[in-house]
Amino acid sequence: MGRSTGLAGRAAATADTPRRGRTTPSEAPDPARSTRDEAPDPARSTLDEAPDPASDSAPNALDDAAARVRDTLEEVFLAVAATGADTSDLLAGLAGAGREPRASDLTALRPGLRARLDSHPLVSGVGFVAAPGLLGDVPGWLEWWQRGPGGAVRPLLLDLDPEHSAYSDYTHWDWYTLPRETGSRAVAGPYVDYLCSDEYSLTLSAPVTLDGRFVGVAAADVYLRHFEAAVLPVLQRLPAPARLVNARGRVAASTDPAHLVGSLTKGPDFGAVLAGPPAEHRAEGGLRLLPCSGTPLVLVTAQSAAESAED
């Protein structure tokens, strides 16, 4: 899920709790299944039109890699921001008319959601998730659209009856709680999205507000295999193994065999790195930590042999 235009608080937040299922990195789908083609090739949108990264020996190779990650994530956050803006406008219009919103009112978001799935190749699902109590006729609601097998766009039909559904209370999952509590964008995962796609995924989310009041989150899903196709080529050109982690140290992409995708990296305070100025940090053990230009992932790598010799 993504977040809206009304942001406050920390510059970035990240999450690793599943959006609609539990996080089990060790249970990632069989790689053979990840070859299933359910969407246009997203790598083309972030790789083919971008300049080649700097050579391994160039001093700005790390900055180039962080910039590529930023551009990849920002493409998805554009869809999130547009969904948040549409939702805020819709709710403001209903409030101006003196009417309490209902679930049926959110159908007005559907043309925009479908258009975002068509125009953002990395996005596999997108929508708005209402805060409990926002809608007058149901306790909770997901206006969510996604690509199905063969690329067909379809709604997510989810039973949110508290008496029958294990998914009726989505307010404790990090893709929802972090945008609500921090007012900032979040990256959740990677995790296996058992409910929607059985795919290893990331969810990007952000808060939606109305007159300063939190009313839910806008969000977008990205298949991890698509994200990796966009960022691994530049990571592979760095002079040392590298990985991308969120504030809690969850690995989202890696060329380091000691830190596999989905595992947790312990040690540095990645949350503090993301909350601080967008500058490179050094950590114990010769680690280099570089926030990806304001987006909620940190690029982690080791000093090259030449850098270590200079130190």
Side-chain angles (χ1 to χ4, degrees):
M1 320 256 181
R3 79 172 171 180
S4 84
T5 54
L7 306 182
R10 288 172 48 192
T14 56
D16 54 20
T17 300
R19 178 170 60 80
R20 293 182 283 274
R22 54 194 168 84
T23 303
T24 53
S26 61
E27 299 178 10
D30 188 317
R33 290 169 52 195
S34 70
T35 59
R36 181 178 56 188
D37 185 15
E38 296 182 352
D41 182 3
R44 190 171 302 167
S45 67
T46 52
L47 291 178
D48 292 351
E49 297 178 2
D52 289 337
S55 66
D56 290 349
S57 60
N60 63 342
L62 197 63
D63 290 333
D64 289 343
R68 180 68 60 84
V69 174
R70 175 204 63 205
D71 292 346
T72 300
L73 290 178
E74 289 297 351
E75 177 186 340
V76 181
F77 276 126
L78 284 174
V80 169
T83 298
D86 283 356
T87 306
S88 294
D89 289 346
L90 173 64
L91 296 176
L94 294 172
R99 190 162 71 78
E100 186 178 42
R102 302 174 67 85
S104 58
D105 293 318
L106 298 181
T107 60
L109 301 175
R110 293 179 180 179
L113 299 180
R114 293 175 63 94
R116 269 151 232 147
L117 284 169
D118 290 338
S119 60
H120 295 276
L122 277 172
V123 175
S124 60
V126 64
F128 169 71
V129 183
L134 173 68
L135 305 176
D137 54 339
V138 290
W141 190 260
L142 285 81
E143 187 61 45
W144 193 264
W145 284 69
Q146 60 192 13
R147 288 195 187 95
V153 175
R154 62 187 183 185
L156 173 66
L157 302 177
L158 185 62
D159 181 7
L160 293 177
D161 186 337
E163 295 186 2
H164 304 104
S165 174
Y167 302 101
S168 61
D169 182 12
Y170 43 73
T171 62
H172 62 285
W173 288 333
D174 281 350
W175 56 261
Y176 184 93
T177 60
L178 279 174
R180 180 189 63 193
E181 294 170 2
T182 68
S184 298
R185 303 190 293 188
V187 174
Y191 65 94
V192 181
D193 191 350
Y194 290 109
L195 185 61
C196 290
S197 62
D198 287 337
E199 286 269 358
Y200 219 15
S201 302
L202 300 172
T203 297
L204 282 64
S205 62
V208 178
T209 61
L210 181 63
D211 296 329
R213 177 172 65 99
F214 174 82
V215 294
V217 301
D221 283 342
V222 177
Y223 292 151
L224 186 66
R225 56 189 169 92
H226 291 168
F227 178 70
E228 289 181 321
V231 302
L232 280 180
V234 290
L235 298 186
Q236 290 167 342
R237 296 178 190 180
L238 293 174
R243 60 193 183 275
L244 292 167
V245 304
N246 65 17
R248 298 188 178 176
R250 183 75 65 185
V251 179
S254 177
T255 59
D256 188 344
H259 298 277
L260 301 179
V261 170
S263 65
L264 281 171
T265 295
K266 298 182 180 180
D269 186 344
F270 299 110
V273 172
L274 288 169
E280 181 179 329
H281 299 249
R282 298 295 177 107
E284 186 177 353
L287 290 180
R288 303 173 64 182
L289 314 176
L290 183 64
C292 294
S293 303
T295 56
L297 287 179
V298 177
L299 176 58
V300 183
T301 188
Q303 289 182 333
S304 65
E307 290 171 325
S308 298
E310 291 176 2
D311 291 342

